[in-house]
């Protein structure tokens, strides 16, 4: 493909200029020089190469108060496209994006029990071609892509080991990279979804205000991605659930990881449902008119919204423990921004408010400059978009 041939011919200087334009464009030459310390002649040579390879374009002139208006440069938005894939526990998603990080197409499907690796890949392929048709983009314009998924995994070999609490069947040592590459006929890189999400959020900050970001996704499990000094912090086996297995109760209940009293024992969809049911068994009053075994997380959220005392008690306790875990964690790594996301945070305002109360209660004064934000800039697309962006990062 033309993309690979062109990218192979780029020098380090070319790539450096490209990265600045990709991150900060539209941008003037003067500003690029400020970021790169390059001489104008060197910069001009690099930009000529990037324009020839259709990676960047001149897009017009900057508004000026007098004198000659400086030209603005940006990435070429209509030459190369990328696919971003997110395989998570409850859903999978496919997006199509360009060099400008725009999401041009997105579609997701539920990961029901029968969603085996083969069926999932077939769905992804179907959505991918549907997206191409809708956008009227020919397949050879897609340069490649990335997958953000659940650990533990081997990102080099592209294998998902056996993820915990993964309901869809057959996900045991799955060579997902190879399967996707065969189905889509292109190169796909793979990383943990929390890493790809935190990378997307890092790129979205064009002021480079934040170089230390934590991304927390609370759902069936708790996943965390961390960027420190602009670099993704890798974890053992790319598992990214270490935070969820931080012990917050020395006398706590046993966790499936082998420890006791982990954050995840209190602040996950499963633990919330478990706690709620255990309270009903103790005689507390529920308004959910269902058999105890059929009560779902969504039932509890709805009950809480209707003002049910039990549902709110369970959510408040769960949020309190998560808040304590987060306060402990930020004291160690000192991030500038913490992005709170995932099904629990997104589906319950009440839970989110309890969580903020807990953080406020336990955080110490000099950590008060840490920003806690809900969802992040790319919301539910962060994992897939970040995966596509990691592919570009690897090539350019
Ligand atoms: Zn644990």
């Amino acid at each position: 493909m033309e993309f690979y041939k062109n990218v192979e011919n780029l020098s380090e200087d070319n790539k450096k200029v490209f990265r600045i334009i990709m991150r900060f464009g539209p941008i003037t030459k003067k500003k690029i020089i400020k970021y790169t310390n390059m001489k104008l002649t060197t910069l001009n040579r690099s930009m000529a190469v990037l324009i020839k390879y259709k990676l960047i374009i001149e897009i017009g002139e900057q508004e000026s108060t007098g004198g000659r208006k400086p030209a603005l440069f940006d990435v070429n938005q209509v030459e190369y496209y990328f696919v971003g894939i997110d395989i998570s526990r409850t859903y999978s998603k496919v997006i199509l994006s360009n060099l400008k990080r725009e999401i041009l197409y997105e579609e997701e499907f539920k990961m029901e029990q029968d969603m085996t690796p083969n069926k999932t890949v077939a769905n992804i392929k179907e959505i991918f071609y549907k997206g191409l048709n809708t956008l009227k983009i020919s397949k050879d314009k897609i340069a490649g892509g990335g997958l953000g998924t659940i650990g533990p995994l081997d990102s080099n070999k592209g294998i998902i080991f056996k993820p915990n609490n993964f309901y869809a069947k057959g996900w045991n040592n799955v060579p997902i990279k190879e399967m996707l590459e065969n189905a889509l006929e292109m190169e796909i890189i793979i990383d943990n979804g929390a890493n790809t999400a935190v990378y997307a959020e890092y790129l979205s900050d064009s002021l480079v205000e934040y170089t230390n970001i934590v991304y927390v996704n609370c759902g069936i499990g708790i996943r965390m991605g961390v960027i420190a000094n602009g670099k993704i912090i890798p974890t053992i086996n790319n598992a990214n659930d270490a935070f969820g297995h931080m012990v917050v109760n020395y006398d706590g209940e046993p966790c499936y990881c082998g420890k006791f009293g982990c954050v995840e024992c209190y602040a996950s969809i499963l633990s919330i449902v478990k706690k709620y049911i255990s309270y009903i068994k103790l005689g507390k009053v529920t308004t959910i008119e269902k058999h105890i075994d059929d009560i779902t997380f969504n039932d509890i959220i709805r009950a809480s919204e209707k003002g049910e005392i039990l549902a709110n008690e369970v959510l408040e306790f769960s949020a309190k423990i998560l808040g304590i875990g987060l306060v402990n964690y930020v004291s160690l790594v000192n991030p500038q921004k913490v992005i709170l996301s995932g099904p629990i945070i997104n589906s319950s305002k009440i839970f989110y408010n309890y969580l903020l109360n807990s953080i406020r209660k336990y955080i110490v004064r000099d950590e008060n400059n840490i920003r806690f934000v809900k969802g992040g800039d790319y919301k539910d697309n962060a994992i897939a978009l970040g995966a596509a962006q990691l592919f570009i990062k690897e090539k350019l």
Side-chain angles (χ1 to χ4, degrees):
M1 199 222 170
E2 210 183 328
F3 176 79
Y4 285 90
K5 217 170 57 209
N6 293 344
V7 166
E8 260 176 30
N9 288 330
L10 297 178
S11 69
E12 269 316 303
D13 270 352
N14 298 160
K15 288 183 182 175
K16 203 183 217 174
V17 172
F18 176 78
R19 281 186 220 120
I20 296 294
I21 297 173
M22 184 161 152
R23 182 110 198 243
F24 303 108
I27 187 169
T28 59
K29 282 187 186 175
K30 201 172 156 188
K31 270 213 170 139
I32 301 173
I33 288 171
K34 210 180 101 191
Y35 284 119
T36 57
N37 288 322
M38 267 178 192
K39 283 190 180 134
L40 183 61
T41 47
T42 319
L43 176 65
N44 282 338
R45 262 201 304 275
S46 274
M47 290 184 66
V49 173
L50 294 171
I51 288 171
K52 187 176 114 195
Y53 290 157
K54 299 175 189 166
L55 286 160
I56 65 165
I57 48 163
E58 189 178 331
I59 59 154
E61 291 162 334
Q62 191 176 41
E63 287 299 316
S64 164
T65 45
R68 209 169 143 238
K69 292 173 183 174
L72 284 168
F73 296 87
D74 205 350
V75 290
N76 187 340
Q77 297 174 33
V78 293
E79 188 59 28
Y80 305 110
Y81 298 89
F82 306 87
V83 58
I85 304 162
D86 168 4
I87 298 178
S88 290
R89 288 184 173 97
T90 53
Y91 69 92
S92 287
K93 176 169 224 167
V94 182
I95 62 141
L96 293 173
S97 175
N98 57 11
L99 282 173
K100 193 73 190 156
R101 296 191 290 278
E102 288 171 322
I103 292 156
L104 308 167
Y105 188 84
E106 60 168 291
E107 197 175 323
E108 65 176 69
F109 56 92
K110 277 190 180 165
M111 290 298 280
E112 310 280 11
Q113 276 204 9
D114 64 345
M115 231 9 116
T116 58
N118 278 329
K119 209 170 162 188
T120 303
V121 169
N123 274 9
I124 288 168
K125 185 179 175 180
E126 197 186 314
I127 294 174
F128 170 70
Y129 279 100
K130 217 165 112 190
L132 290 184
N133 279 338
T134 309
L135 298 171
K136 299 194 168 43
I137 295 172
S138 74
K139 164 99 190 327
D140 58 7
K141 293 261 177 192
I142 307 283
L147 163 70
T149 188
I150 304 271
L153 54 89
D154 183 325
S155 51
N156 292 323
K157 290 184 183 147
I159 295 170
I160 299 181
F161 301 128
K162 199 176 173 5
N164 285 309
N165 299 320
F166 204 83
Y167 294 123
K169 291 203 168 77
W171 291 83
N172 194 354
N173 294 319
V174 178
I176 191 71
K177 176 180 162 78
E178 194 187 326
M179 290 172 74
L180 286 169
E181 286 181 342
N182 289 339
L184 305 180
E185 300 162 298
M186 66 179 67
E187 186 181 345
I188 300 285
I189 60 125
I190 150 170
D191 204 335
N192 193 289
N195 286 349
T196 65
V198 77
Y199 183 62
E201 297 295 342
Y202 166 71
L203 290 179
S204 81
D205 167 33
S206 61
L207 300 171
V208 203
E209 220 177 323
Y210 303 107
T211 49
N212 295 288
I213 308 177
V214 170
Y215 173 93
V216 193
N217 187 300
C218 300
I220 288 176
I222 302 176
R223 303 154 74 185
M224 183 182 268
V226 182
I227 285 207
N229 292 323
K231 299 248 177 341
I232 296 174
I233 304 297
T235 51
I236 296 169
N237 282 341
N238 275 309
N240 288 59
D241 61 352
F243 169 73
H245 296 287
M246 201 165 88
V247 176
V248 279
N249 182 357
Y250 71 91
D251 217 8
E253 50 193 283
C255 180
Y256 63 85
C257 73
K259 293 193 275 197
F260 292 86
C262 299
V263 178
E264 215 174 286
C265 295
Y266 306 93
S268 66
I269 286 179
L270 300 177
S271 61
I272 288 170
V273 175
K274 198 172 149 197
K275 184 98 188 162
Y276 187 86
I277 289 171
S278 75
Y279 276 165
I280 298 174
K281 285 180 177 162
L282 287 173
K284 293 207 179 189
V285 180
T286 174
T287 58
I288 301 171
E289 291 168 342
K290 263 188 177 179
H291 187 273
I292 202 163
D293 295 334
D294 297 330
I295 292 174
T296 64
F297 173 70
N298 287 334
D299 294 331
I300 298 169
I301 296 301
R302 273 193 294 271
S304 117
E305 279 160 5
K306 286 179 194 153
E308 188 194 283
I309 294 166
L310 176 57
N312 282 315
E313 187 185 332
V314 169
L315 290 183
E316 185 174 13
F317 178 71
S318 170
K320 179 179 171 178
I321 302 284
L322 179 60
I324 290 171
L326 282 171
V327 168
N328 285 337
Y329 189 80
V330 298
S331 299
L332 285 174
V333 301
N334 196 23
Q336 296 150 298
K337 184 158 113 174
V338 179
I339 298 162
L340 304 161
S341 68
I344 301 184
I345 308 276
N346 296 338
S347 64
S348 175
K349 251 188 208 158
I350 293 169
F351 180 91
Y352 183 68
N353 288 334
Y354 282 141
L355 176 60
L356 289 186
N357 286 343
S358 171
I359 291 167
R360 275 188 216 116
K361 181 173 172 188
Y362 295 103
I363 209 155
V364 292
R365 205 180 301 133
D366 57 4
E367 291 164 344
N368 264 335
N369 55 347
I370 300 170
R371 277 191 66 209
F372 288 86
V373 297
K374 189 178 172 179
D377 292 339
Y378 289 113
K379 305 270 184 274
D380 295 342
N381 289 320
I383 294 174
L385 183 73
Q389 290 295 316
L390 275 179
F391 171 83
I392 301 169
K393 181 175 181 262
E394 209 174 279
K395 301 296 158 198
L396 281 156

